[in-house]
Amino acid sequence: MHNRCNRWQVITRLHLVLSATIFWISCFSIVGTGFTASAAEMPEIQQRGYLTVAVKDNLRPLGFRDANGNLQGLEIDLAQRLALDLVGKTDAVKLQPVANRDRLSVVLDKKVDFAIARVTATESRSRIVSFSVPYYLDGTVLVTKDASVNKLSDLAKQKIAVLNNSSTIAKVRFYLPNAELVGVNSYHEAREKIESNAAVAFAADATVLSGWVQQYPQYQLLPTKLSTEPLSVVMPKGLQYDKLRRNVNQAIARYLEQGWLQQRSQYWGLP
């Protein structure tokens, strides 16, 4: 019993040291960029009269540009709706397109108030930023152009393309253990595999493959999701941002209750 207690104390101390180390590394990383780890507080946002929001501009149907170069998509709709509720006008929002690698850092570096840029809420990310309640549940789905494939079991022993080193691999292996997985390095390569009959289907995120089907109507999404991954608004941590977080969370909860988010998701062709 005494040894067991000692082991527990050691584990606890190691956990505390590791947590502290991660915290200070994060702090030094932020200081090293020359920015302070802060975003605008709610009174400042209301006083200036607009929001600044990081979004995607190349990810149909969440955030992309139309033929005239205007931003549109589900996440653009959400940013504009939050602007209406938080500062009074749908056009009171400055949209800042960001690359995937910058989706968290722009919030930490005070470049935007928050980000709505297809960010999955994870435990590791929640150590440095706060997440809203989910506005959409993403997940792994399969796309195919084979008209004979209508359900998951139709792919039981078929060739399925998956992105190399992605978490999708484990999900497909779990549901389709006898399928042959074909590794690819990009979505473009996955389409080439299907077009050349080197693969029957491609497994990836529903939000991305929805845009694929809209661009290539000869393809179809299978109805079964292999996973569920919450997409959330990225917001700064800290007590000074409590009002901002509460306002965003309450607004999204209201959009879900009223069915507005479901309607917009369907409008943009999301499963």
Side-chain angles (χ1 to χ4, degrees), residues 187-205:
Y187 287 84
H188 178 71
E189 186 181 349
R191 183 166 174 264
E192 288 181 340
K193 293 291 185 184
I194 295 177
E195 292 295 328
S196 65
N197 296 318
V200 175
F202 175 45
D205 293 328

Side-chain angles (χ1 to χ4, degrees), residues 79-213:
Q80 293 171 340
R81 184 66 183 264
L82 286 171
L84 175 62
D85 279 358
L86 270 58
V87 291
K89 293 186 295 183
T90 56
D91 60 351
V93 56
K94 293 185 177 181
L95 302 173
Q96 178 177 319
V98 291
N100 284 346
R101 66 178 180 276
D102 300 324
R103 292 174 297 174
L104 302 188
S105 63
V106 289
V107 176
L108 291 170
D109 295 345
K110 202 181 177 182
K111 293 180 179 179
V112 296
D113 299 319
F114 47 80
I116 312 177
R118 193 182 167 268
V119 179
T120 302
T122 65
E123 185 177 353
S124 59
R125 287 171 174 168
S126 67
R127 295 172 184 168
I128 57 173
V129 295
S130 292
F131 288 109
S132 71
V133 295
Y135 57 84
Y136 182 75
L137 295 179
D138 202 358
T140 300
V141 296
L142 293 112
V143 68
T144 183
K145 70 169 189 175
D146 189 332
S148 67
V149 176
N150 298 300
K151 55 186 184 297
L152 201 59
S153 59
D154 293 336
L155 293 170
K157 296 183 179 181
Q158 301 278 14
K159 291 182 178 180
I160 301 173
V162 291
L163 291 172
N164 287 319
N165 304 313
S166 68
S167 60
T168 300
I169 295 171
K171 297 161 189 171
V172 176
R173 286 198 185 281
F174 179 81
Y175 284 97
L176 298 166
N178 297 318
E180 181 181 344
L181 303 190
V182 179
V184 296
N185 294 314
S186 67
Y187 287 84
H188 178 71
E189 186 181 349
R191 183 166 174 264
E192 288 181 340
K193 293 291 185 184
I194 295 177
E195 292 295 328
S196 65
N197 296 318
V200 175
F202 175 45
D205 293 328
T207 48
V208 178
L209 294 185
S210 296
W212 176 317
V213 170

